[in-house]
Amino acid sequence: MKSNITIKDVAMYANVSPATVSLVINNRSGVSAETKNKVLFAIKKLNYKPNQAARNLIMQRPSAIGLVVTNIENPFYSELIHYVQEEVDNTDYSLLLGISNDSVKKEIKAIEDMVTRDVGGLIIVPSRDGEDNLHHLYALKELQIPFVFITSAYNGIQSDCIMSDLEKGMYDATMYLLRKNKRKIYFITEKRLLRLSEDRICGYIRAYKECDLKYNDEYIIETNPTVESGIKITQKILEHDTPDAIITVNALLSLGVMKCIKDKELSVPENISVICFDELSYSSLLYTPITTVKQPLYEICHEAVSLLCSRIDGNDEPYKVQYYPTEMIIRHSS
């Protein structure tokens, strides 16, 4: 028998999940007597020696907080990781990081791995394809492991959520352009059913309605949030139309939009104005400094970590959903 027996070996021997083994080690509720006995027998049979993390579980002292983000190629999420790490460093916890790459399967795997590693709670950026597959989050609730959504949320489950007021941010950006007599305002976003798209679209429509103007639903375009997608979508738009303005759901898309406009020998903002969500370190350094809708990311991360720590400590108040105001930073692109 191998000497380095792990919690996964115990789970396999007992024919249960690693999360169930963690429950037994932690002496938490939610495990039947029969299953608990199977796990305890497997621990004894395999001569499993809990590591420090498992010993912390036995003493009901979680040692880590988990953070699951979607895409670290997006500087917005790299900055989010930085701020969360700073906040966790001020606690007694360490930070476990998982990258879903906008795949709910990878999100599930990251969360399951963290459950086996003494995670006391999780901060989660929802993936793009996860809305119809939330069983892993209901499993966290059954395990009594708290989690907080950050920057967005799944619509299909109640939980704490800390994010920007995306509806108001989009309303402000659209209204700003409408007041400058821009009428054909395209919005390039992600899947419409995502919370981060839904809220922004509501703000976009509200601005048109308050100006007694009709919006064109064809101006709202779904795509992947990448530079390459920004280029391709703008090329398609310019094949049949010349917008007055384009708003993008993130900064990466705006880089693609502006490159395509330049390649077509058009000018920003003389021919087409551009606004994007998310203020990044290079936003003011581009050849055409870009107008942004800035999200207060530090404040969001600070509150998310603080709230999660309070949940780990036993705060059982009703779920908290907090929206932080955005800020428009006007630059040459608009």
Side-chain angles (χ1 to χ4, degrees):
M1 186 177 296
K2 67 180 184 179
S3 58
N4 295 324
I5 300 297
T6 69
I7 198 169
K8 291 183 179 180
D9 296 319
V10 175
M12 185 176 297
Y13 191 94
N15 196 28
V16 298
S17 71
T20 299
V21 177
S22 290
L23 273 181
V24 174
I25 293 173
N26 194 26
N27 198 27
R28 288 182 176 176
S29 60
V31 181
S32 68
E34 180 183 357
T35 300
K36 183 175 182 179
N37 287 335
K38 284 170 58 179
V39 172
L40 292 174
F41 177 80
I43 290 173
K44 184 176 181 180
K45 185 71 174 178
L46 298 176
N47 195 26
Y48 173 56
K49 304 295 184 184
N51 58 20
Q52 185 58 49
R55 282 193 288 270
N56 284 337
L57 280 172
I58 293 171
M59 299 178 69
Q60 298 189 14
R61 284 192 326 220
S63 64
I65 285 173
L67 171 63
V68 181
V69 299
T70 51
N71 182 5
I72 58 174
E73 291 182 0
N74 185 338
F76 178 79
Y77 293 116
S78 299
E79 191 173 356
L80 183 150
I81 294 169
H82 169 72
Y83 286 138
V84 170
Q85 180 71 72
E86 278 193 341
E87 293 302 309
V88 173
D89 284 346
N90 293 324
T91 72
D92 294 329
Y93 300 105
S94 58
L95 183 67
L96 303 179
L97 178 63
I99 312 296
S100 72
N101 287 321
D102 267 320
S103 162
V104 71
K105 290 183 179 180
K106 292 182 179 180
E107 177 181 301
I108 291 170
K109 184 179 185 304
I111 289 173
E112 288 179 345
D113 287 346
M114 290 177 182
V115 169
T116 68
R117 295 175 62 191
D118 186 28
V119 71
L122 295 108
I123 297 172
I124 302 169
V125 179
S127 64
R128 298 178 71 241
D129 65 346
E131 192 66 55
D132 297 325
N133 190 356
L134 303 177
H135 71 273
H136 58 299
L137 300 178
Y138 284 104
L140 286 178
K141 289 192 173 192
E142 291 179 4
L143 296 174
Q144 299 179 346
I145 297 176
F147 58 92
V148 176
F149 290 130
I150 189 170
T151 69
S152 187
Y154 288 126
N155 290 320
I157 188 168
Q158 288 188 319
S159 179
D160 294 313
C161 176
I162 309 297
M163 61 186 289
S164 298
D165 188 345
L166 302 177
E167 192 272 348
K168 180 61 163 57
M170 187 66 183
Y171 168 85
D172 290 341
T174 307
M175 186 62 77
Y176 168 81
L177 292 168
L178 291 173
R179 286 172 176 164
K180 293 175 74 69
N181 206 33
K182 310 291 184 180
R183 295 294 180 262
K184 290 193 292 184
I185 303 172
Y186 279 72
F187 176 41
I188 305 177
T189 187
E190 300 189 44
K191 292 180 180 179
R192 284 180 180 240
L193 294 179
L194 297 178
R195 175 72 175 276
L196 59 84
S197 292
E198 280 184 343
D199 288 2
R200 289 177 169 102
I201 290 171
C202 287
Y204 174 89
I205 293 172
R206 180 161 72 94
Y208 269 92
K209 287 184 175 180
E210 288 190 9
C211 292
D212 293 323
L213 296 170
K214 290 184 178 180
Y215 74 95
N216 188 335
D217 194 67
E218 293 181 357
Y219 292 169
I220 303 173
I221 301 174
E222 300 178 41
T223 190
N224 294 323
T226 65
V227 175
E228 294 76 15
S229 295
I231 294 171
K232 291 178 181 178
I233 291 296
T234 308
Q235 287 174 339
K236 290 181 179 180
I237 293 172
L238 294 178
E239 286 174 0
H240 62 83
D241 197 7
T242 302
D244 293 326
I246 297 175
I247 303 174
T248 65
V249 75
N250 71 10
L252 294 181
L253 278 167
S254 71
L255 295 178
V257 168
M258 294 177 71
K259 182 181 187 309
C260 182
I261 292 172
K262 184 178 180 182
D263 290 347
K264 295 291 185 180
E265 298 183 349
L266 296 170
S267 297
V268 176
E270 288 77 13
N271 300 115
I272 303 172
S273 295
V274 178
I275 296 177
C276 77
F277 272 77
D278 305 340
E279 171 74 3
L280 302 177
S281 58
Y282 55 72
S283 297
S284 63
L285 304 176
L286 300 173
Y287 61 90
T288 303
I290 190 165
T291 294
T292 61
V293 180
K294 181 181 179 180
Q295 300 191 57
L297 197 52
Y298 169 75
E299 290 81 0
I300 289 171
C301 295
H302 173 81
E303 179 60 26
V305 173
S306 176
L307 177 58
L308 182 61
C309 288
S310 76
R311 295 300 193 195
I312 296 171
D313 289 340
N315 175 2
D316 60 356
E317 294 179 356
Y319 291 127
K320 179 178 183 179
V321 178
Q322 182 165 345
Y323 299 97
Y324 281 83
T326 58
E327 175 190 3
M328 271 198 71
I329 300 178
I330 308 299
R331 297 195 179 94
H332 185 65
S333 70
S334 62

